[in-house]
Amino acid sequence: DITGHCPAGQIITFNVKANAQNNDPFVVDWKITGSALPDKTVMVGDVVKFEWEGMHNVAFHPSGTCDITDDTAILGETSPVEYTFTADDVGKKTFACDITGHCPAGQIITFDVKAQDVPMETNTPTVEPTTSPVVNPTEPPKEPTDPVVDPTEPPVDPTEPTSSAGGLLITSFW
């Protein structure tokens, strides 16, 4: 709050938002259902927790199908298995059970991973810098050097010798 700094453009604004992420994991009851589990939408940073009884596993299926490919990766074979979504996961992320017959019987789920909705702000000033002279904060403000002009008064012609007293025009002749 030093005099003149803000008007001269020395100002910055930050937009800080709390992380709206829910720290509770999204729990999947990992079992054979007869048809694929409904897709779910999650945010980067959210956690999914697969819980089951019996013989199952959780595998990442980049194909988005039950096809086992070279990219298929087992995340865990004992319950529970947790997975935290990262920025690299934005888009569709499919998990399935790779025990024979389980995925085609419905043990598959796809997550639509969204990026956090917190835009990064730049440090660009919200006020454009001015071409105003820089004010020295140690000097008191200077008084204006030009006389104050009343905009409601007509302009005065400096070539006419005038002075007024009581509404009369006095002109002197010597």
Side-chain angles (χ1 to χ4, degrees):
D1 239 2
I2 306 272
T3 304
H5 285 196
C6 285
Q10 192 171 4
I11 187 169
I12 189 167
T13 301
F14 291 95
N15 185 6
V16 179
K17 294 182 181 178
N19 184 354
Q21 172 183 325
N22 180 356
N23 290 327
D24 294 332
F26 175 79
V27 178
V28 175
D29 185 13
W30 200 227
K31 62 184 177 185
I32 297 172
T33 60
S35 61
L37 295 167
D39 290 1
K40 299 291 181 189
T41 300
V42 294
M43 302 296 289
V44 168
D46 284 348
V47 177
V48 61
K49 183 178 186 179
F50 297 89
E51 296 180 336
W52 68 87
E53 293 181 13
M55 193 170 151
H56 299 289
N57 62 28
V58 178
F60 169 56
H61 278 240
S63 67
T65 68
C66 292
D67 296 337
I68 297 175
T69 65
D70 291 342
D71 292 345
T72 302
I74 301 286
L75 300 177
E77 295 178 325
T78 57
S79 180
V81 170
E82 287 192 3
Y83 182 83
T84 303
F85 295 98
T86 68
D88 292 338
D89 296 326
V90 171
K92 301 287 185 183
K93 186 92 173 171
T94 301
F95 300 89
C97 180
D98 278 350
I99 303 293
T100 303
H102 288 201
C103 183
Q107 204 168 5
I108 183 171
I109 187 169
T110 299
F111 290 90
D112 186 10
V113 184
K114 305 284 186 187
Q116 287 290 349
D117 192 21
V118 180
M120 294 297 294
E121 296 293 326
T122 65
N123 61 354
T124 304
T126 57
V127 176
E128 291 295 321
T130 66
T131 56
S132 302
V134 176
V135 177
N136 183 341
T138 60
E139 291 181 16
K142 294 182 180 178
E143 294 298 318
T145 55
D146 293 333
V148 176
V149 177
D150 183 351
T152 62
E153 294 290 322
V156 177
D157 183 355
T159 61
E160 288 191 27
T162 60
S163 95
S164 61
L168 299 173
L169 178 62
I170 302 173
T171 305
S172 52
F173 296 98
W174 295 101

